[in-house]
Amino acid sequence: MTSASAPLAAIYPACCRLLPGLGSELIPGQDLATFLEKHPDLVVAHPYLPDLARVEAARHRAAGLPSISPAQFPRMTVNPILELLRLRWRGLPRLLADPADRPEPGEEYVLIWKPPGQEAVRIATASGHDLLALKIVEEEINPRSAAAEAGVGPGVIDDILRQACLQGLLLAPASRIVRDPDFPRGTVANPALLTARTFTLQWHITQTCDLHCRHCYDRSERREFDLERGILVLDELYDFARSRNVFTQVTFTGGNPLLHPHFLELYRGAAERGFLTAILGNPMPRHRIEEIVAVQPPEFYQVSLEGLREHNDYIRGHGHFDRVLAFLDLLRELKVYSMVMLTLTRANQDQVLPLAEELRHRVDLFTFNRLAMVGEGASLASAPPEQYQAFLEEYLAAREHNSCMGIKDNLINILRLRDRQPLFGGCAGYGCGAAFNFVALLPDGEVHACRKFPSLIGNLFADSLEEIYEGEAARRYRRGSSACRDCSIRPVCGGCLAVTHGFGRDIFHELDPYCFMERLALPSS
């Protein structure tokens, strides 16, 4: 219906332009589309005018409604400021954008809506994917059932729903990967860092490895699962992610994950469920990487170097350094994002910057982790804690001139706080993300808060991921050390529990031995 207070031309500008003098014949409050259908003699030159009137009336209604704030919804919902019109003419949205355009006879569905947080009304022809997304949500169809009926992977349906959410046609519920209420909020960190939109499963699918590195944290024998069990893991992760309203990444690792007999099937299964995929592994032949890319290009493929050639090959085996460099060239050729990780020790600390320089034009991202003195790594010497601040300052200075050098260690935020620079997300994007936005799954089903040290929180072959995530063991690792509770940057730091464990300290009550916050006299509360 037209508004008694709004001039006709304000509601139907395009119709009035095409049919001058229209207002003199229309009864106030009468619907223009209905009026035109009752007077076909008025639309002989423009027979699409009744449909155009429906579109303009819907636009006016939407414009008069207050914008919806991106609030928290308990489940995925159709945008209440959305109208779906079934029309007999195609191309009316184009006509509104370009008066010279001419519609054509034929059925078309048109969407009129106001995206959350926006005042501008949008009008667009509905695609088949748009209609499917609306149908699934409106009729409460299980996405997995929709995927099975369509003969596609669940990830295809999830992507359709995700795109509808990005357009504002659907309103997505808020992430339920949220820091516990008693988790320290800090005083300088962004509150958004208390909620994660992506959950990562670091899946160690095999212990089998073609290397035997001197700092390996676990060479234990663990029974490998079969393909059927692996598919059940992916389904479990899919259900967990949907219940938590988060995107999902599966990072395949090991051992060397590509040595698992069913690696490609598991990788394909993750891609079919709409998961992001990544690989932590070793150099492999071209045809293996091409197989992976054909399924889904990984978000990244990470390999390791432990310093320059001589030292690296002492740690990882003769010829490894040159194989990695050649492999990085292959990844670049295949357009796969490459990462190199170094485990920082006393022996290689002075090789980090020279290695970064050698990798400058060969890798997309180079960074480091501090040694966790766990497993065989307990026989190596950690970098001296008293020298760590100076090392970080030197690293950050070099990074200004080398774009491949990344930042990962949480403790870098201490220097950024001192220098009044914006804080970054730290190791996992949320400081220490152990049992928060990621967990590690081992071949025998054990789930650990962090793979770099023993941190068992459950077994996925016995309990659901939801039960493990909500268990007290996981909550304890999420809380981290009570020594960090009053720190102003706690949401983006928390030190490294694995490093603290390696030094024989109580990870739940003592500081990371490398923390230098107090030494700089920075605010801790």
Side-chain angles (χ1 to χ4, degrees):
M1 303 294 286
T2 60
S3 170
S5 61
L8 195 67
I11 304 172
Y12 305 103
C15 290
C16 290
R17 183 179 66 251
L18 293 168
L19 203 59
L22 186 61
S24 61
E25 301 188 45
L26 185 66
I27 300 172
Q30 186 176 8
D31 179 72
L32 178 58
T34 302
F35 173 81
L36 292 174
E37 288 177 339
K38 291 180 179 179
H39 297 82
D41 56 303
L42 295 177
V43 299
V44 172
H46 307 291
Y48 51 81
L49 276 175
D51 274 356
L52 181 60
R54 291 188 181 92
V55 174
E56 291 200 288
R59 178 175 62 183
H60 181 71
R61 287 191 292 270
L65 295 173
S67 177
I68 297 176
S69 63
Q72 296 185 2
F73 294 86
R75 61 179 182 173
M76 193 171 289
T77 305
V78 175
N79 186 339
I81 309 180
L82 168 69
E83 289 194 48
L84 174 65
L85 302 181
R86 182 180 180 181
L87 305 178
R88 292 164 293 184
W89 290 82
R90 296 198 300 263
L92 292 177
R94 295 197 308 269
L95 173 65
L96 292 173
D98 180 5
D101 203 288
R102 287 293 175 264
E104 299 175 349
E107 184 177 84
E108 183 171 83
Y109 288 88
V110 170
L111 300 161
I112 301 95
W113 80 104
K114 188 183 289 186
Q118 300 181 25
E119 290 301 327
V121 176
R122 296 181 61 184
I123 302 174
T125 300
S127 69
H129 284 181
D130 294 334
L131 296 176
L132 178 59
L134 295 173
K135 178 181 176 67
I136 288 173
V137 173
E138 189 67 28
E139 299 181 12
E140 299 183 354
I141 299 172
N142 184 294
R144 190 180 288 178
S145 300
E149 183 175 344
V152 299
V156 174
I157 301 299
D158 283 348
D159 188 59
I160 290 172
L161 295 172
R162 183 158 48 243
Q163 292 303 318
C165 290
L166 292 175
Q167 294 181 77
L169 304 176
L170 300 178
L171 304 178
S175 166
R176 290 182 53 239
I177 299 293
V178 182
R179 288 293 190 184
D180 295 336
D182 62 345
F183 185 81
R185 264 48 183 167
T187 58
V188 297
N190 186 340
L193 292 169
L194 300 172
T195 301
R197 288 297 303 167
T198 299
F199 180 81
T200 297
L201 179 72
Q202 188 181 92
W203 195 3
H204 296 253
I205 61 177
T206 182
Q207 294 289 87
T208 303
C209 189
D210 47 334
L211 302 177
H212 190 150
C213 304
R214 293 178 181 270
H215 62 338
C216 185
Y217 42 73
D218 185 4
R219 296 291 299 185
S220 64
E221 293 289 335
R222 294 179 185 269
R223 182 178 180 182
E224 287 189 352
F225 55 87
D226 58 21
L227 180 58
E228 182 180 4
R229 172 76 76 175
I231 296 302
L232 290 175
V233 167
L234 293 173
D235 287 339
E236 174 74 19
L237 180 61
Y238 179 86
D239 291 339
F240 175 81
R242 284 198 61 81
S243 72
R244 293 281 170 166
N245 308 319
V246 291
F247 302 115
T248 309
Q249 175 172 305
V250 179
T251 299
F252 290 93
T253 186
N256 183 349
L258 275 70
L259 297 183
H260 189 283
H262 300 297
F263 167 78
L264 198 61
E265 293 98 320
L266 296 171
Y267 189 89
R268 182 179 291 109
E272 289 174 346
R273 286 158 180 76
F275 300 157
L276 302 173
T277 49
I279 299 172
L280 309 180
N282 300 333
M284 295 296 287
R286 170 188 284 270
H287 75 276
R288 298 299 308 275
I289 309 307
E290 289 176 337
E291 288 176 341
I292 293 167
V293 172
V295 173
Q296 174 172 288
E299 295 299 300
F300 61 85
Y301 194 120
Q302 178 179 297
V303 291
S304 296
L305 286 174
E306 308 308 337
L308 299 176
R309 182 177 286 100
E310 181 180 356
H311 181 73
N312 176 81
D313 288 2
Y314 168 74
I315 296 293
R316 291 188 168 266
H318 178 72
H320 177 264
F321 187 89
D322 290 329
R323 288 198 301 274
V324 168
L325 293 189
F327 185 67
L328 293 175
D329 292 341
L330 172 63
L331 293 180
R332 175 153 296 187
E333 180 186 341
L334 298 179
K335 296 181 173 54
V336 174
Y337 191 90
S338 62
M339 294 172 56
V340 168
M341 176 64 67
L342 173 142
T343 299
L344 186 70
T345 66
R346 183 186 301 267
N348 69 6
Q349 181 171 306
D350 62 349
Q351 298 184 37
V352 172
L353 300 188
L355 177 61
E357 189 60 31
E358 183 150 355
L359 295 174
R360 177 188 289 269
H361 300 298
R362 305 188 83 145
V363 70
D364 292 302
L365 183 69
F366 166 68
T367 188
F368 63 89
N369 276 326
R370 285 175 281 147
L371 172 70
M373 293 185 288
V374 175
E376 296 184 5
S379 64
L380 301 181
S382 291
E386 65 276 8
Q387 298 177 12
Y388 194 56
Q389 178 189 338
F391 167 78
L392 288 182
E393 290 174 332
E394 188 179 5
Y395 182 89
L396 294 176
R399 182 173 179 267
E400 293 292 322
H401 309 285
N402 188 340
S403 60
C404 81
M405 296 173 66
I407 52 175
K408 184 177 182 183
D409 196 310
N410 294 332
L411 300 184
I412 291 173
N413 273 319
I414 301 176
L415 296 177
R416 294 175 79 94
L417 178 65
R418 180 199 65 184
D419 298 337
R420 302 182 186 278
Q421 296 177 341
L423 304 181
F424 80 110
C427 179
Y430 304 87
C432 176
F436 173 57
N437 66 319
F438 74 84
V439 296
L441 173 62
L442 306 191
D444 56 3
E446 284 191 1
V447 180
H448 288 250
C450 173
R451 184 61 179 106
K452 291 171 61 181
F453 75 112
S455 49
L456 184 65
I457 58 175
N459 192 299
L460 196 58
F461 297 169
D463 299 302
S464 71
L465 185 54
E466 183 71 30
E467 292 171 323
I468 294 170
Y469 190 85
E470 286 299 329
E472 179 53 36
R475 289 179 179 275
R476 195 178 187 200
Y477 284 105
R478 281 200 288 277
R479 285 193 293 268
S481 175
S482 60
C484 299
R485 174 159 295 278
D486 296 327
C487 183
S488 61
I489 63 171
R490 175 63 184 92
V492 292
C493 192
C496 178
L497 300 182
V499 170
T500 304
H501 171 86
F503 273 80
R505 298 193 179 188
D506 183 341
I507 64 170
F508 298 117
H509 297 99
E510 294 188 77
L511 281 176
D512 182 320
Y514 288 82
C515 178
F516 51 90
M517 175 73 88
E518 293 182 359
R519 191 159 68 244
L520 293 184
L522 294 175
S524 61
S525 62

